[in-house]
């Protein structure tokens, strides 16, 4: 299946089109109009490859991609119209002037030759659409299967390692300390912890959830993390959601937040984590800036970030941009911009 499109291209170029040329009377053009014949056959090959590899894939996309595809159709129709308007006469065109006056050459002969141009064009286009649609349907099916595979793999990873064990133990120790001291924060902390756990397991099977739910989860996660921090840490989370109906994949944004808490927090040095989320229209912008501690940063493979990159490339292939890295001020910056989907 991997080389099937290549085999189809060879079949079209070496078998299908040459066979059509010799079956239909177009090969007669070669003797009287070799330049036009070569130009026309070359145009048919160009039409095939442009339609199959440029136009048809873009018909499945919206916005500018579809406009470009329609523009190509218009241009191809104009070029074919110009080719069909070239004066190709019947064989009696070469008779003497007297013979043509006595026996005028048949207009239908000219029309048939001009119609042959359109016939070949239409046949090539139909062939392209048939092959291209099958190829695109196969590609989309494979893409859906790959997305499903990655989603199932992410779901499995969620149960095994999505929650950092240190986070669980530290949170439980914090709750235990609050219980012993009879703190008034105990009930709220337990409620956050239960909601956090419920969120992760309830949404594991969902491909998309509302952005509001994800923002609420991030806020609860940050509140729980703050319970173990001291005065050295400066943690801020600001968010603005314009459309509550927007959706995002679950556990996507939290990956960058977890990364910041894992590598940007110190118990004896000044540190900071600044998180900003802004959603306007169909665009979501998520930014995370955090301090970096050299020892912890070097020992990390950042598998969560790499898995997130793969999910983004599968779920938002043409609708996202992810920039991350450490700048000259020793600050690790993450900026994710994507076109969100309605729930």
């Amino acid at each position: 299946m991997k080389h099937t499109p290549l085999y189809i291209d060879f079949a079209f170029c070496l078998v299908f089109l040459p066979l059509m040329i010799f079956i239909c009377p177009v090969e007669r053009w070669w003797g009287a109009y070799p330049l036009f014949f070569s130009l026309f056959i070359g145009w048919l090959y160009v039409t095939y490859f442009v339609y199959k590899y440029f136009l048809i894939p873009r018909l499945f996309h919206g916005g500018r991609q579809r406009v470009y595809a329609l523009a190509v159709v218009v241009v191809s129709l104009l070029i074919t119209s110009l080719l069909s308007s070239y004066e190709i006469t019947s064989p009696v065109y070469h008779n003497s002037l007297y013979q043509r006056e006595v026996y005028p050459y048949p207009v239908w002969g000219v029309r048939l030759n001009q119609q042959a141009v359109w016939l070949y064009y239409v046949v090539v286009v139909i062939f392209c659409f048939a092959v291209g649609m099958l190829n695109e349907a196969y590609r989309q099916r494979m893409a859906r299967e790959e997305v499903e595979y990655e989603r199932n793999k992410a779901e499995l990873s969620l149960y095994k390692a999505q929650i950092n064990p240190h986070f669980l133990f530290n949170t439980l120790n914090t709750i235990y300390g609050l219980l012993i001291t009879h703190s008034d924060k105990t009930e709220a902390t337990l409620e956050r912890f239960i909601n956090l756990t419920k969120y992760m397991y309830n949404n594991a099977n969902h491909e998309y959830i509302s952005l509001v739910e994800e923002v609420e989860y991030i806020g609860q996660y940050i509140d729980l993390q703050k319970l173990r921090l001291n005065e050295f840490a400066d943690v801020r989370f600001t968010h603005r959601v314009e459309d509550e109906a927007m959706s995002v994949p679950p556990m996507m944004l939290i990956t960058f937040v977890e990364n910041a808490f894992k590598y940007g927090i110190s118990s004896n040095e000044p540190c900071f984590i600044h998180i900003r989320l802004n959603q306007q229209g169909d665009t979501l912008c998520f930014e995370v800036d955090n301090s970096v501690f050299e020892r912890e940063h070097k020992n990390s493979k950042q598998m969560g970030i790499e898995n997130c990159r793969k999910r983004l490339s599968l779920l938002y292939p043409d609708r996202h941009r992810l920039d991350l890295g450490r700048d000259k001020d020793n600050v690790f910056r993450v900026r994710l911009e994507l076109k969100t989907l309605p729930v």
Side-chain angles (χ1 to χ4, degrees):
M1 294 299 293
K2 181 179 180 180
H3 301 291
T4 299
L6 185 61
Y7 297 150
I8 294 176
D9 293 342
F10 276 113
F12 174 83
C13 296
L14 303 179
V15 178
F16 182 77
L17 189 57
L19 186 62
M20 285 182 57
I21 292 173
F22 287 106
I23 290 178
C24 297
V26 182
E27 81 278 1
R28 300 175 187 173
W29 297 353
W30 173 250
Y33 310 97
L35 181 61
F36 175 79
F37 178 82
S38 301
L39 182 64
F40 175 62
I41 299 304
W43 168 241
L44 292 179
Y45 281 114
V46 170
T47 300
Y48 171 80
F49 287 103
V50 170
Y51 266 69
K52 182 180 177 183
Y53 292 102
F54 180 85
L55 188 146
I56 295 177
R58 281 161 177 77
L59 289 178
F60 288 87
H61 300 283
R64 292 185 177 181
Q65 298 293 327
R66 189 168 295 173
V67 173
Y68 294 155
L70 294 177
V72 170
V73 173
V74 173
V75 172
S76 67
L77 289 174
L78 289 175
I79 294 176
T80 306
S81 178
L82 290 175
L83 291 173
S84 68
S85 64
Y86 184 82
E87 185 177 348
I88 303 176
T89 61
S90 64
V92 298
Y93 175 80
H94 299 285
N95 293 343
S96 66
L97 179 62
Y98 172 78
Q99 289 176 319
R100 279 187 285 156
E101 290 177 351
V102 177
Y103 305 103
Y105 64 85
V107 178
W108 58 265
V110 180
R111 289 177 179 174
L112 284 178
N113 287 328
Q114 292 175 343
Q115 290 171 0
V117 173
W118 283 107
L119 174 63
Y120 273 85
Y121 174 80
V122 171
V123 170
V124 170
V125 170
I126 292 175
F127 184 88
C128 288
F129 267 95
V131 173
M133 295 289 282
L134 289 175
N135 184 57
E136 186 66 19
Y138 174 77
R139 187 194 66 80
Q140 289 191 1
R141 182 171 67 86
M142 294 300 295
R144 285 194 299 269
E145 290 179 358
E146 189 174 1
V147 170
E148 182 68 16
Y149 170 77
E150 290 294 332
R151 188 179 68 84
N152 292 337
K153 188 171 69 173
E155 178 183 344
L156 180 62
S157 299
L158 175 65
Y159 288 101
K160 292 182 177 179
Q162 188 67 45
I163 306 175
N164 191 327
H166 296 290
F167 161 70
L168 277 177
F169 294 139
N170 290 333
T171 302
L172 290 174
N173 286 333
T174 301
I175 295 174
Y176 178 71
L178 294 175
L179 287 171
I180 292 178
T181 58
H182 303 286
S183 172
D184 55 357
K185 297 180 181 179
T186 303
E187 184 178 350
T189 303
L190 279 171
E191 183 179 357
R192 289 195 188 99
F193 183 71
I194 292 172
N195 291 336
L196 188 94
T197 307
K198 185 187 301 183
Y199 168 91
M200 288 185 291
Y201 289 100
N202 286 347
N203 293 307
N205 297 321
H206 295 168
E207 187 172 356
Y208 294 97
I209 63 167
S210 68
L211 179 59
V212 174
E213 291 182 80
E214 186 75 2
V215 170
E216 183 180 357
Y217 168 69
I218 294 174
Q220 292 179 348
Y221 178 87
I222 293 173
D223 289 339
L224 283 173
Q225 289 284 9
K226 283 182 177 180
L227 293 174
R228 66 181 180 87
L229 303 180
N230 53 30
E231 68 277 2
F232 288 108
D234 175 21
V235 180
R236 305 175 192 175
F237 176 41
T238 59
H239 53 87
R240 177 190 175 192
V241 178
E242 184 181 85
D243 186 0
E244 297 184 355
M246 286 299 172
S247 63
V248 292
M251 311 300 295
M252 177 76 78
L253 303 180
I254 195 64
T255 302
F256 305 106
V257 179
E258 288 180 335
N259 186 74
F261 276 100
K262 187 174 182 180
Y263 305 115
I265 292 297
S266 174
S267 59
N268 52 18
E269 295 182 44
C271 55
F272 70 91
I273 297 176
H274 297 163
I275 305 168
R276 298 175 297 278
L277 184 147
N278 183 34
Q279 181 269 316
Q280 289 182 305
D282 62 347
T283 302
L284 170 65
C285 182
F286 187 70
E287 298 175 294
V288 180
D289 300 338
N290 62 270
S291 50
V292 179
F293 294 94
E294 198 71 23
R295 177 179 59 81
E296 295 179 348
H297 184 75
K298 284 185 176 180
N299 293 336
S300 169
K301 295 183 180 180
Q302 294 186 321
M303 295 300 295
I305 297 293
E306 292 305 315
N307 289 337
C308 191
R309 282 184 186 272
K310 294 177 182 178
R311 289 184 69 193
L312 285 169
S313 64
L314 290 171
L315 297 173
Y316 299 89
D318 302 319
R319 305 192 310 275
H320 86 279
R321 178 177 178 178
L322 176 61
D323 299 315
L324 54 84
R326 185 167 49 173
D327 62 16
K328 59 183 180 181
D329 297 324
N330 200 35
V331 176
F332 192 81
R333 302 185 186 276
V334 176
R335 176 180 173 83
L336 171 63
E337 184 173 321
L338 54 83
K339 300 293 184 179
T340 56
L341 301 173
V343 175

